[in-house]
Amino acid sequence: MHAALRVRNYRLFFLGQAVSNTGTWVQRIAQDWLVLGLTGSATAVGVTTALQFLPMLLLGLYGGLLVDRLPKRPTLLVTQSAMALSALFLAVLTLTDLVQVWHVYLAALAMGLATVVDVPARQSFVPELVGRDDLHNAVSLNSANFQAARLAGPALAGLLITGTGTGWAFLLNGLSFLAPLAGLLLMRGRELHVGARAPRAKGQLREGLRYVAERPDLLGTLALVGCVGTFGLNFPVFLSAFAADVFATGVGHYSLFNTLMAGGALAGALTAARRGTARTRTLIAAVVAFGLLEAAAAIAPHLWLFAALMVPIGVFATTVNVTANTSIQMSTDPEVRGRVMALYTMVLLGGAPVGAPIVGWLTDTYGARVGLAAGGTAVVVSALFIAALLARARRSLAGPRRSDDHGESDPPRPRGRVAPLRLPAGAGGDAGPDGGGAGRT
């Protein structure tokens, strides 16, 4: 279950991300609560979320192309340092009582710009740490790492915000980046599985898009992830509104909702770490279950029932992420993996600039229950539509069964397996794939 942790470089990466991810969740809770306190508007929380993820939507492919061209470890040293400075900037303004909502917008945008390169670089760095054999295990452990931080981060954020204020939460996040920076510096370069980098050439963005367009398996997976990212992952908007308006509680229950969801997500990630494969049916079923659970939470009449539903929502959210992430990474050639993983992150996180303001408006106008129900319903409808298209494409590609001269038919193609799990030519063994992990996404 923990095979990837036997690798020293990966252990350093894992431990650094554990500290930094906790700091990130502390800042996310503090940032949402600060904006809600400054404005009293769920729409403003949605705008903050949109600004943080808009750069990935607009510039993600350019970031992925840079990652394909640059060495991963030095790139991460730069991006992690930039994100630390952004958090410290917000900490200083908040602790000196000078913060205004536009400052939070600016800090969210700055963090988003750094994320454009940081996320594909981190995901592409994991196979350089562990190689292909332990990739699925490493991706699952990264997700477990991230979800464990979701357990500790919101609880710590609640203590800091109620005890000392949001400024100290931002300061803690800024300092937490020291851990991954130290880990990167302590790694042994000779033990990395460094793959080929893409040379500079014209048309490389189009090349990455064409690579995905010619792969129906990748397109289907990306479409499923995109519908979840756009309509279902707007938790800052939903959960803050339920805590403040529907149940008339405070930051303590907002942190509790996030903590319970993180507990479910951690369980989902650890379960995924035991699986060695990813299947199309698993991905589709997880997306549909995720949307149905969100719709059920929207009509939950009691706080305890709403809180309890956060656990299975977290389980299925992580199942979607790990299954899609692993299948895409294991199917993609090293020379384009940065661009493909950037596209994956774009559809997962870049949908927030589209979805968050919409559900924020629905929440402000019609109430938090309507906003959450609309998001969950949109996920289910989109997933069923995409699943029908995938089934039709699979039947079309399979075509009629052929017979040879002796009247024998070719065996039917296997159903249910995700095609990305077949390693393409030129990416086998320890040739140094460049993909990987959930990290801060």
Side-chain angles (χ1 to χ4, degrees), residues 229-396:
T230 301
F231 303 116
L233 295 182
N234 298 293
F235 297 124
V237 179
F238 296 142
L239 299 186
S240 61
F242 266 85
D245 300 329
V246 175
F247 299 117
T249 55
V251 67
H253 280 90
Y254 178 48
S255 296
L256 173 65
F257 297 154
N258 280 279
T259 300
L260 290 171
M261 189 180 298
L266 177 59
L270 292 175
T271 300
R274 296 179 178 274
R275 293 196 302 265
T277 60
R279 296 179 180 272
T280 302
R281 285 174 296 194
T282 301
L283 180 59
I284 294 172
V287 173
V288 172
F290 173 79
L292 290 174
L293 285 165
E294 282 200 334
I299 60 174
H302 305 294
L303 186 151
W304 66 265
L305 180 57
F306 179 85
L309 285 170
M310 294 300 102
V311 177
I313 286 174
V315 169
F316 286 106
T318 299
T319 302
V320 171
N321 182 36
V322 171
T323 304
N325 192 311
T326 303
S327 63
I328 289 175
Q329 291 209 59
M330 295 184 73
S331 75
T332 306
D333 291 304
E335 294 82 359
V336 296
R337 190 169 286 129
R339 279 161 284 180
V340 174
M341 293 313 299
L343 189 59
Y344 168 81
T345 306
M346 285 172 64
V347 299
L348 178 63
L349 303 182
V354 177
I358 294 174
V359 298
W361 175 80
L362 286 172
T363 299
D364 280 341
T365 305
Y366 300 105
R369 293 189 184 277
V370 172
L372 181 56
T377 302
V379 168
V380 174
V381 172
S382 300
L384 293 176
F385 177 72
I386 294 166
L389 292 180
L390 283 174
R392 184 175 180 179
R394 187 180 295 114
R395 289 193 299 268
S396 176

Side-chain angles (χ1 to χ4, degrees), residues 127-128 131-133 192-197 334-335 337 423-434:
E128 292 195 0
R132 174 178 169 80
D133 290 344
L192 295 173
H193 302 260
V194 180
R197 298 204 300 266
E335 294 82 359
R337 190 169 286 129
L423 187 66
D430 284 331
D434 290 351

